[in-house]
Amino acid sequence: MGKSKRSKVRGGGGGGDDLIDSSDADSVGSSSTALSDLSISYATEHLNSQEFVLDKYIDALYEKRGSTREAALSQLADAFESFILHGLVENKYATLLSLFNNSIKKGSTKEACLASRAIGLLALTLGADSSSHEIMEESCAQLSRVLQTWPDASKMISAFDCLAVVTFVGAADLAETELSLKAMWDVIHPKSGSNVGTIRKPKPPVLAAAISAWTFLLTTIGSWRINTDNWKEPITFLSTLLGAEDRAVRMASGEALALCFELNLLDVSFYEDGDVENGGTGGSRSKLFLDMQALKAKISSLASNLSMEAGGKGADKKNLTDQRDLFQRILDFVKYGECPQESVKISGKRDVLRVSSWSELIQLNFLRRFLGKGFLKHVQENGLLQDVFDIKTDTAETLSSIDKVRN
């Protein structure tokens, strides 16, 4: 429930006060210190102290002064990153969600960014249960309105991240996931949206964030049947973005296309039976097959070029190297079926998180970025992330210390 350590969120502009009144800062800051100093692994009195501090943050979110609310949201995020607070918030999530949504609706840009992140952290903390589904239902309409109004770029980026996370955790079926995917795609490719009369092109940072969030959410549809015909247009558009001037847009589009390959969205033969069931004709299937084969060849060629792109004068060498590495991995996967491999040390010598597919890698990178410094803590103790990455370690425990105390 709070805010990210990321400078992009902290640096968001807005109409609210940026400086914290000394009395407010002392109150919220002392609460943060109290929470950070707690040893929550044992001792019921520590649990009671944490609950007292959490209530102080909630009280601060009712304050009229924007800087006070921003400070509370920021400290709440630090708490959610540092601890697994499921036991503390499971009976307070409705109140917190209402306050967060109110900050998105009425607060400054900075406050709205912090609140969007807070909602995502709240969903990840509670895990995939009925409360997270409620969070998704209550938040999606508000977040979709943010994306439709095209406000400040930082506010849109925060909304994309939040919408992706709450849907990832809380969606019960494909229909709910598709609603969020569509809200994102209407920004990525406005021509396909409902506001055709007022087409606007997103700025590169917004476009890259939108594609990243859309791709992260797309990783969840692997178990649902998909009609290839519906994917020709988005895949074609993503392939055109491989030629975008902005490197972040090119890389986000490349990851999205790699996932489309992994999900067989370009493999027409994979859906032949479904085409017959849907009344398709041999001629239309043959044309679609040829179109998809040509699209595969185009994507492979572009990936090859981007994997060998020359730097040129003044080029950012690190980002250029990252691009080359990414598109070489994509090329190896498309041409030879070689899956990406990555591992993250969790704790000790034996506890390692390993991924070996594009879906897993995309989920790892997105959640690692969203959770920031709290990623390892959540991987070690958050049952949701352990389920997502199929982690079984000797040291990680699926119940938080707070739950143990209460039980």
Side-chain angles (χ1 to χ4, degrees), residues 65-102:
R65 183 172 298 184
S67 60
T68 302
R69 298 193 302 270
E70 290 168 8
L73 287 167
S74 178
Q75 300 299 346
L76 279 167
D78 289 342
F80 270 86
E81 291 174 352
S82 302
F83 306 106
I84 308 301
L85 300 179
H86 184 282
L88 282 177
V89 300
E90 60 183 343
N91 294 322
K92 301 177 186 287
Y93 76 87
T95 298
L96 287 164
L97 180 61
S98 176
L99 290 167
F100 295 157
N101 275 323
N102 189 61

Side-chain angles (χ1 to χ4, degrees), residues 142-373:
Q142 179 69 41
L143 294 167
S144 295
R145 280 194 290 271
V146 171
L147 299 183
Q148 290 168 2
T149 56
W150 290 62
D152 180 271
S154 60
K155 189 172 181 178
M156 288 190 74
I157 291 170
S158 296
F160 279 123
D161 284 352
C162 181
L163 183 59
V165 169
V166 298
T167 308
F168 180 84
V169 179
D173 53 38
L174 178 59
E176 291 180 338
T177 301
E178 284 182 327
L179 288 175
S180 294
L181 286 169
K182 184 180 184 303
M184 296 173 182
W185 190 257
D186 285 349
V187 176
I188 296 170
H189 193 196
K191 289 184 179 180
S192 62
S194 56
N195 300 321
V196 178
T198 55
I199 295 173
R200 288 171 289 187
K201 292 182 63 177
K203 295 179 180 179
V206 173
L207 181 56
I211 296 170
S212 177
W214 182 85
T215 305
F216 170 69
L217 202 49
L218 192 66
T219 63
T220 65
I221 71 169
S223 60
W224 289 312
R225 189 154 178 84
I226 306 161
N227 185 346
T228 314
D229 296 25
N230 297 333
W231 289 93
K232 179 184 174 183
E233 185 258 351
I235 292 172
T236 300
F237 181 70
L238 286 170
S239 70
T240 65
L241 294 181
L242 295 181
E245 293 185 8
D246 186 80
R247 182 168 285 122
V249 171
R250 295 198 296 267
M251 294 177 68
S253 302
E255 284 193 335
L257 288 167
L259 180 63
C260 290
F261 274 98
E262 184 172 88
L263 294 175
N264 295 310
L265 299 183
L266 290 89
D267 189 353
V268 175
S269 62
F270 188 80
Y271 298 93
E272 281 183 344
D273 293 339
D275 184 59
V276 174
E277 293 171 4
N278 295 329
T281 64
S284 63
R285 175 58 52 180
S286 176
K287 183 179 185 305
L288 181 60
F289 174 80
L290 293 174
D291 288 345
M292 286 300 193
Q293 289 300 109
L295 195 52
K296 282 183 179 181
K298 175 186 176 182
I299 293 169
S300 296
S301 176
L302 290 169
S304 178
N305 293 338
L306 291 169
S307 71
M308 299 182 292
E309 183 181 357
K313 187 176 180 180
D316 186 326
K317 292 184 178 179
K318 183 185 182 304
N319 288 338
L320 178 60
T321 299
D322 290 343
Q323 175 188 287
R324 289 170 176 168
D325 290 345
L326 171 65
F327 282 98
Q328 186 59 56
R329 290 170 118 181
I330 294 172
L331 193 61
D332 291 342
F333 178 71
V334 172
K335 294 182 68 175
Y336 310 113
E338 294 183 10
C339 295
Q341 305 283 335
E342 192 160 324
S343 60
V344 178
K345 185 177 179 181
I346 300 174
S347 63
K349 295 182 179 179
R350 293 180 296 172
D351 298 337
V352 177
L353 185 164
R354 291 185 174 86
V355 297
S356 56
S357 70
W358 282 104
S359 292
E360 293 172 348
L361 181 61
I362 288 165
Q363 290 175 358
L364 170 64
N365 288 337
F366 190 96
L367 290 171
R368 182 162 51 185
R369 177 181 60 79
F370 186 81
L371 284 165
K373 67 181 179 66

Side-chain angles (χ1 to χ4, degrees), residues 11-23:
D17 298 322
D18 290 329
L19 297 178
I20 302 175
D21 180 84
S22 59
S23 59

